[in-house]
């Protein structure tokens, strides 16, 4: 019975691309343009109510700046030159939590248009190998332009079905980290109220049920496939869905099929958890975290499985 979030105004989040600049320089640049920096937010309450040119550093994630809802940066010099990435706070969680070290080998399984890929590369300081796959050639070509602009050099893009990537191919023998952000219903994306009637909404929900079933089957296949890479230690799974079918139910089925992996308890202070019993996972929503609706889980190979991570 989860309803799609409607008509809620979220702050504008801006991730500083540390492959091109640093957060201090971006803050100074914006101050020179008349923006007013209010310091580090102490909590989510400081992120709402930002007005005009006021902005803060996010309370939870590094290199993330927060502005009022109405600020747009699409024509801004810093955006056009890849110094900043316009990315919702919740969508910054997967790469931040996976946190691959510089020099590591990493897979971004369903990567386009590449915001999380560029975040991973920034965390890796462009050192190591970042294999990024996507099935959609058009999205991949947009991604290629965006990644060039963001200064990535450690990536290798492939227009390939992740489910057909051979985990035992020698090329991936050092892959210890995988980010999996597969296609989902998108039900967490905040949209404006469209004025549709309750009847139309019920019909849409009935169609949605069968769509959700096939999406969650696909998501589970991708997740199980990710866990087959022989050296993989950590896999982050995320969706921008609010539906249990695509989130906790996928996680539960995956754990059942892969007893050599367990869930990592993520960010103990984060205000919204996965639904019981999967409270190790995170949820995000307009009301509790001032973001789009989102879900993140992190799987870790059990100690007796293979070598330790990092
Ligand atoms: N991670 C991306 C980002 O942060 O910019 C967003 C990914 S989007 C939610 C899901 C992507 O999965 C789409 O671009 C879609 O084309 C791709 N996709 C769907 N099925 C796939 C498959 N079997 N193998 C690889 N990519 C797939």
């Amino acid at each position: 019975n989860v309803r799609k979030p409607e008509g809620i105004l979220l702050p504008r989040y801006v991730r500083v691309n540390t492959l091109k600049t640093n957060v201090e320089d971006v803050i100074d640049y914006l101050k020179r343009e008349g923006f007013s920096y209010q310091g580090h937010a102490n909590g989510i309450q400081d992120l709402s109510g930002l007005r005009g040119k006021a902005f803060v550093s996010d309370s939870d994630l590094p290199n993330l700046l927060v502005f009022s809802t109405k600020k747009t940066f699409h024509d801004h010099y810093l955006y056009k030159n890849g110094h900043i990435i316009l990315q919702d706070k919740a969508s910054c969680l997967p790469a931040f939590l996976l946190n691959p070290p510089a020099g590591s080998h990493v897979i971004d399984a369903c990567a386009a248009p590449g915001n999380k890929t560029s975040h991973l590369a920034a965390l890796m300081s462009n050192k190591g190998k970042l294999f990024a796959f996507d099935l959609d050639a058009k999205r991949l070509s947009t991604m290629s332009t965006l990644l060039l602009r963001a200064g990535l050099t450690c990536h290798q893009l492939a227009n390939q079905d992740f489910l057909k990537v051979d985990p035992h191919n020698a090329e991936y023998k050092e892959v210890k980290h995988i980010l999996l952000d597969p296609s989902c219903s998108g039900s967490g994306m905040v949209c404006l109220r469209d004025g549709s009637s309750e009847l139309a909404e019920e019909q849409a929900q009935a169609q949605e049920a069968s769509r959700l079933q096939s999406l969650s089957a696909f998501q589970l296949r991708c997740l199980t496939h990710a866990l087959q890479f022989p050296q993989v230690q950590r896999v982050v799974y995320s969706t921008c869905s609010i539906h249990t079918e695509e989130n906790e139910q996928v996680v539960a089925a995956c754990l059942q099929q892969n007893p050599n992996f367990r869930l990592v308890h993520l960010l103990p202070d984060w205000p919204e958890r996965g639904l019981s019993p999967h409270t190790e996972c995170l949820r995000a929503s307009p009301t509790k975290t001032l973001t789009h609706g989102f879900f993140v889980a992190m799987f870790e190979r059990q100690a007796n499985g293979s070598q330790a991570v990092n």
Side-chain angles (χ1 to χ4, degrees):
N1 285 338
V2 254
R3 286 176 69 91
K4 202 167 161 71
E6 287 171 338
I8 296 173
L9 296 176
L10 301 176
R12 158 68 68 193
Y13 295 98
V14 167
R15 180 168 64 77
V16 173
N17 176 15
T18 56
L19 292 178
K20 286 226 150 165
T21 181
N22 59 63
V23 75
E24 292 77 19
D25 285 357
V26 169
I27 291 171
D28 282 348
Y29 188 100
L30 293 172
K31 283 194 335 203
R32 284 198 298 276
E33 279 193 338
F35 282 86
S36 155
Y37 181 57
Q38 315 278 301
H40 228 272
N42 286 318
I44 283 163
Q45 70 284 351
D46 289 350
L47 310 184
S48 60
L50 288 164
R51 297 270 175 275
K53 289 193 142 189
F55 71 109
V56 292
S57 299
D58 184 63
S59 43
D60 300 294
L61 298 184
N63 303 313
L64 190 67
L65 301 174
V66 193
F67 297 79
S68 81
T69 302
K70 297 205 172 103
K71 274 279 147 286
T72 53
F73 286 92
H74 289 94
D75 292 325
H76 198 278
Y77 167 85
L78 293 175
Y79 174 67
K80 286 184 168 169
N81 288 281
H83 291 230
I84 59 171
I85 313 280
L86 305 180
Q87 189 172 357
D88 183 56
K89 174 174 174 174
S91 129
C92 296
L93 286 168
F96 169 72
L97 293 167
L98 191 62
N99 196 20
S104 55
H105 288 198
V106 180
I107 287 179
D108 189 350
C110 296
N115 277 346
K116 297 179 189 76
T117 319
S118 86
H119 195 183
L120 287 168
L123 292 161
M124 294 160 69
S125 306
N126 245 344
K127 295 191 177 83
K129 273 195 185 164
L130 179 47
F131 302 98
F133 302 102
D134 204 283
L135 203 51
D136 186 324
K138 203 160 164 234
R139 283 169 71 92
L140 209 61
S141 120
T142 311
M143 170 168 173
S144 173
T145 313
L146 293 176
L147 296 190
L148 199 68
R149 188 165 86 179
L152 269 78
T153 52
C154 66
H155 63 299
Q156 191 174 305
L157 297 190
N159 182 200
Q160 205 175 330
D161 181 346
F162 174 63
L163 291 169
K164 295 199 176 129
V165 175
D166 177 8
H168 297 286
N169 184 322
E171 211 176 354
Y172 312 121
K173 67 178 192 301
E174 289 177 46
V175 169
K176 289 188 182 167
H177 301 78
I178 298 183
L179 190 152
L180 173 65
D181 183 41
S183 300
C184 72
S185 61
S187 55
M189 301 304 288
V190 173
C191 61
L192 294 173
R193 191 178 284 276
D194 64 4
S196 57
S197 70
E198 256 179 46
L199 180 63
E201 210 169 288
E202 270 172 31
Q203 284 166 348
Q205 275 176 9
Q207 284 171 359
E208 184 82 344
S210 83
R211 187 169 158 247
L212 281 182
Q213 217 173 15
S214 71
L215 278 169
S216 68
F218 162 72
Q219 291 151 351
L220 178 59
R221 282 180 68 207
C222 286
L223 191 47
T224 300
H225 191 68
L227 300 187
Q228 305 314 309
F229 285 74
Q231 286 299 318
V232 78
Q233 301 296 322
R234 288 191 159 183
V235 174
V236 160
Y237 171 73
S238 59
T239 72
C240 56
S241 165
I242 54 174
H243 290 106
T244 323
E245 290 89 334
E246 297 178 274
N247 299 330
E248 290 85 355
Q249 286 181 24
V250 170
V251 165
C254 181
L255 286 171
Q256 204 170 24
Q257 291 176 18
N258 299 277
N260 52 334
F261 282 84
R262 66 171 188 95
L263 286 174
V264 178
H265 190 92
L266 301 170
L267 302 180
D269 294 333
W270 187 259
E272 194 170 5
R273 313 299 312 178
L275 302 183
S276 183
H278 300 298
T279 51
E280 300 94 332
C281 310
L282 304 181
R283 273 184 172 252
S285 63
T287 47
K288 296 214 173 98
T289 57
L290 287 181
T291 64
H292 290 282
F294 208 78
F295 176 83
V296 194
M298 180 147 76
F299 293 82
E300 185 175 58
R301 192 186 288 278
Q302 299 266 37
N304 63 358
S306 191
Q307 296 155 17
V309 75
N310 299 348

